Amino acid sequence: MLIFTLRRLNLFLFTLVLLTVLSFSLSFLSPGDQITNISGQINATPEHIELVALQYSKHESILIQYWVYIKHLVNGDWGVSMHSQMPIAEEILNHLPATMELSLVALLIAMLIGIPIGFIAAAHHRKVADNIILSFAMIGYSIPIFWLGLLAILIFSIQLAWLPSAGQISLVYEIEQVTGFQFIDILLSDNPYKWQAFQNASAHIILPATVIAIAPATIFIRLARTAMLNVLDTHYIKAAMAKGLTRQQIIMRHAIRNSLVDVIRDVGLQFANLVTLAMVTEVIFSWPGIGRWLIESIYQRDYTAIQGGLLALSSFIFIVHILTDFIYASLNPLAREAKYGS
């Protein structure tokens, strides 16, 4: 486990360096002056621009400029938004928790729907139920996310009026932002209508989270089905059947638990796909997350915000990958031996 941890930390640091190189290079590739692109100072006086150039060592070699850029990132100086003139680090801290909250709820919905249905399909392999589930999974994966979001708003918000179509919570509830996570902030607040605010926030998140969860849920169906079929084909399952255990007993006692280990391995990959879908969904549902903020920054050509947002979002997705790998390795030591020979 020590070798596995060191290798993962090494990969984590190497990837972070690559991400910072990419972010740093965007300041040269984007139109305009490099110092303006990296600092966001568009209306500054020539004296102030020269001061910023000195702070970023513009007159030094490219390696020194990159090193100074890294030091600014580590110190929390990610530049200033060209549009709002607010610090990028503050903008990211204001928007990233909303995306994390939405993505985690969507991931939970996708796993709760997809994994059990995948196991049911495997238990009825090559039967009618299996074919129906695979057909619905294929249809669900093929539906465009923006069309599904608009359709959900039309049906559940406009026609049926069951769920709100936009925002994170109604404006009547004044919840002070502490952590940025809406549900945690509600629980921490002193609002006398805390429970009503919690219900209102839950109603707001159901529709966008479900729309995001559809595509990952169909993938979890196929992953769980394949994992269960592989487990049912192993020798120890056949030995259990030879001892007289029924198929239901084998599935409940042995197959589900061992299949889950293989499914967890792919959670990190699906989370990256889910965050990408969340960026589109945040625009449709006016969700105040980093995806919507990033897309608006692209429209406004806010290059400082684009650099900082991409760096923060990519780092967040990679951290989830690393955590998933640690969870998988802790549950399945054989995977560590197969990969690294430890």
Side-chain angles (χ1 to χ4, degrees), residues 31 123 154-155 183-184 186 198 204 215 310:
L154 178 65
I155 296 176
F183 290 107
I184 297 177
I186 291 174
F198 195 90
H204 276 78
L310 289 177

Side-chain angles (χ1 to χ4, degrees), residues 18-34:
L18 286 182
L19 290 175
T20 54
V21 169
L22 176 63
S23 174
F24 178 67
S25 63
L26 286 177
S27 62
F28 293 94
L29 299 175
S30 302
D33 181 68
Q34 184 243 339

Side-chain angles (χ1 to χ4, degrees), residues 19 32 75 141 283:
L19 290 175
N75 292 329
Y141 185 74
V283 177

Side-chain angles (χ1 to χ4, degrees), residues 53 69 75 121 186 215 224 283 295 300 319 330 332:
Y69 173 70
N75 292 329
I186 291 174
V283 177
I295 290 175
Q300 296 160 352
I319 288 172
S330 64
N332 185 15

Side-chain angles (χ1 to χ4, degrees), residues 256-298:
I256 288 180
R257 184 172 57 184
N258 294 328
S259 302
L260 281 174
V261 175
D262 288 338
V263 176
I264 288 173
R265 180 181 54 189
D266 296 301
V267 169
L269 294 175
Q270 296 313 311
F271 191 79
N273 180 36
L274 192 141
V275 171
T276 306
L277 296 174
M279 293 178 65
V280 179
T281 310
E282 286 178 2
V283 177
I284 298 173
F285 288 92
S286 297
W287 189 265
I290 196 170
R292 180 185 168 207
W293 174 73
L294 198 52
I295 290 175
E296 289 177 351
S297 301
I298 294 173

Side-chain angles (χ1 to χ4, degrees), residues 28-190:
F28 293 94
L29 299 175
S30 302
D33 181 68
Q34 184 243 339
I35 289 298
T36 304
N37 292 337
I38 205 168
S39 64
Q41 305 286 348
I42 55 175
N43 296 319
T45 60
E47 294 78 12
H48 187 61
I49 289 292
E50 183 60 29
L51 178 62
V52 175
L54 287 174
Q55 291 176 346
Y56 283 91
S57 300
K58 184 183 179 182
H59 305 296
E60 301 292 339
S61 66
I62 192 71
L63 288 177
I64 293 179
Q65 289 184 45
Y66 172 71
W67 175 246
V68 173
Y69 173 70
I70 293 294
K71 289 199 291 186
H72 278 272
L73 289 180
V74 173
N75 292 329
D77 180 12
W78 291 41
V80 177
S81 168
M82 293 180 178
H83 176 68
S84 64
Q85 290 296 300
M86 289 182 62
I88 295 298
E90 185 178 336
E91 292 267 29
I92 291 173
L93 289 176
N94 287 337
H95 293 93
L96 186 58
T99 298
M100 293 171 64
E101 193 171 42
L102 179 63
S103 301
L104 290 174
V105 173
L107 180 65
L108 183 64
I109 293 174
M111 294 178 70
L112 290 178
I113 294 175
I115 294 176
I117 294 178
F119 288 158
I120 292 173
H124 299 81
H125 184 48
R126 293 181 179 175
K127 295 180 181 178
V128 177
D130 185 25
N131 294 330
I132 292 175
I133 290 172
L134 288 181
S135 300
F136 275 105
M138 182 62 69
I139 294 172
Y141 185 74
S142 305
I143 297 176
I145 186 73
F146 63 91
W147 183 83
L148 186 63
L150 295 175
L151 185 66
I153 291 175
L154 178 65
I155 296 176
F156 297 103
S157 298
I158 298 176
Q159 297 290 339
L160 300 176
W162 286 354
L163 297 168
S165 62
Q168 201 174 13
I169 190 172
S170 295
L171 297 177
V172 295
Y173 301 104
E174 296 181 357
I175 304 298
E176 182 183 0
Q177 182 171 340
V178 179
T179 64
F181 294 90
Q182 189 67 59
F183 290 107
I184 297 177
D185 288 346
I186 291 174
L187 295 176
L188 294 176
S189 73
D190 297 326

